[in-house]
Amino acid sequence: MMLQSSFLHSRDACVFGSNAAQIIQKVTHKNLYAIRIPYICGDQKENILMNEKAFQEYYATGFSHCYGCGTSNEHGLHVKSYWAEDEPDVTVAHFTPEPHHTGGFPGFVYGGLIAAILDCHGNGTAAAAGYRHQGRSMDTEPNLRYVTANLNLNFRRPTPMGQVLELRARIVEVTDRKVQMDISLVADGEATVEGTMLSVLLPEKR
Ligand SMILES: CC(C)(COP(=O)(O)OP(=O)(O)OC[C@H]1O[C@@H](n2cnc3c(N)ncnc32)[C@H](O)[C@@H]1OP(=O)(O)O)[C@@H](O)C(=O)NCCC(=O)NCCSC(=O)Cc1ccccc1
C-alpha cells in the first residue's frame, strides 16, 4: 500500500501491522512532528509516540504538574500538542473525553473541561511558538514558560461525547513577550468551540 499523507489525516482510519510499521518508518525518516495519534490503533501507537515528543514533554520538571497537561500529574488530563503536518502556524492535539467528562446536558462534553484542554493546548502552542521565535529547539535552555493572560471562547454548538476531539491553535502573532492565537475544538469535522487566546511569557525568576 502506498503511504499517502492524506491517509494520515483520514479521520477514522485504524492502521494495523505492516501499514503502521510503514508509517513509523516514514515518521522517523522525515522527522515529522505531527502524526494524528488517535488514527493509529493497536500496539503500534506506542511506537509512534516514542518517535515524537509533545510540546508538554519539554516542560521543565517544576512545570510538569499541570492538571490539564502535566506529564507528572497522575490525575491530570495529559493534553499533548504537536505541530500540524501541513500548516506551519497551526498546532493540534487530540483528546477523547471519558464518560465522567460529561456536562449537565447528557451526551455532551462539559464546557469547563473544554476550556481547560484548549487552555493547555494554547499554552503548549505558545511555548513552541516562543522557541521558534527565538530560533531554537524546545530542549534548549532557558526554558520558556507561558501562562494564560486571556482566553475567550464561543461555544457554537454542543460537543458530543464518545469520540476523539481535535484541539487546534493557529498562531496569529508572536512577540518577545506574547503569543496571540485563534483556537478551536473540532468534533466530527465541525468546530463546536472557537475562540482566541493570549499567552504571556513568564520572567525566568517566577
Ligand atoms: C503574567 C501576566 C499574564 C501578565 O502580567 P505581567 O507579567 O505584569 O505583564 P504585563 O501586564 O506587562 O503584560 C505583558 C503583556 O501582555 C499584555 N496583557 C496582559 N494581560 C492581558 C490581558 N488580559 N489581555 C490582553 N493583553 C494582556 C499586556 O498588555 C502586555 O502587552 P505589551 O507587552 O505591553 O504589548 C499576569 O497578569 C499573570 O500572572 N496573570 C495570571 C496568569 C494565570 O494565572 N493564568 C492561569 C494559570 S496558567 C494555566 O493554568 C494554564 C497553563 C497550562 C499549561 C501550561 C502553562 C499554563
Side-chain angles (χ1 to χ4, degrees):
M1 186 192 120
M2 279 286 291
L3 184 67
Q4 306 281 343
S5 68
S6 59
F7 181 71
L8 297 174
H9 281 102
S10 85
R11 287 217 141 257
D12 298 309
C14 191
V15 187
F16 289 101
S18 60
N19 290 343
Q22 278 179 312
I23 286 177
I24 291 164
Q25 222 171 14
K26 183 180 163 84
V27 172
T28 309
H29 178 64
K30 287 202 160 182
N31 195 22
L32 294 176
Y33 289 102
I35 295 299
R36 308 293 201 273
I37 301 305
Y39 306 155
I40 315 291
C41 302
D43 294 345
Q44 302 293 349
K45 183 163 60 176
E46 300 309 319
N47 293 328
I48 294 276
L49 283 169
M50 280 165 60
N51 284 330
E52 183 188 20
K53 229 167 144 178
F55 303 153
Q56 290 84 1
E57 291 173 296
Y58 290 100
Y59 289 178
T61 314
F63 292 101
S64 66
H65 297 274
C66 173
Y67 173 66
C69 62
T71 52
S72 307
N73 189 329
E74 63 176 302
H75 303 294
L77 301 170
H78 301 139
V79 169
K80 286 184 166 41
S81 309
Y82 306 86
W83 289 110
E85 194 184 343
D86 296 323
E87 300 165 282
D89 291 327
V90 174
T91 62
V92 294
H94 292 92
F95 184 86
T96 306
E98 301 283 333
H100 62 271
H101 291 144
T102 191
F105 193 174
F108 295 98
V109 183
Y110 172 53
L113 176 90
I114 291 171
I117 57 180
L118 282 172
D119 184 48
C120 283
H121 180 58
N123 279 315
T125 298
Y131 281 95
R132 193 174 72 173
H133 180 68
Q134 294 188 4
R136 58 192 181 89
S137 63
M138 293 187 78
D139 56 3
T140 58
E141 303 270 345
N143 292 130
L144 300 183
R145 202 70 203 93
Y146 284 82
V147 292
T148 316
N150 182 271
L151 178 65
N152 282 305
L153 296 178
N154 295 306
F155 292 79
R156 303 288 187 200
R157 52 188 66 82
T159 299
M161 300 287 292
Q163 61 183 274
V164 179
L165 306 174
E166 182 167 276
L167 315 177
R168 294 179 64 83
R170 179 177 296 278
I171 298 161
V172 174
E173 187 183 18
V174 184
T175 69
D176 291 347
R177 188 78 206 278
K178 300 185 296 190
V179 180
Q180 182 69 51
M181 293 156 279
D182 290 335
I183 54 176
S184 60
L185 182 143
V186 177
D188 267 342
E190 234 189 336
T192 59
V193 181
E194 294 173 314
T196 58
M197 179 163 170
L198 176 71
S199 293
V200 172
L201 181 64
L202 282 181
E204 254 194 287
K205 57 181 164 39
R206 284 169 77 165

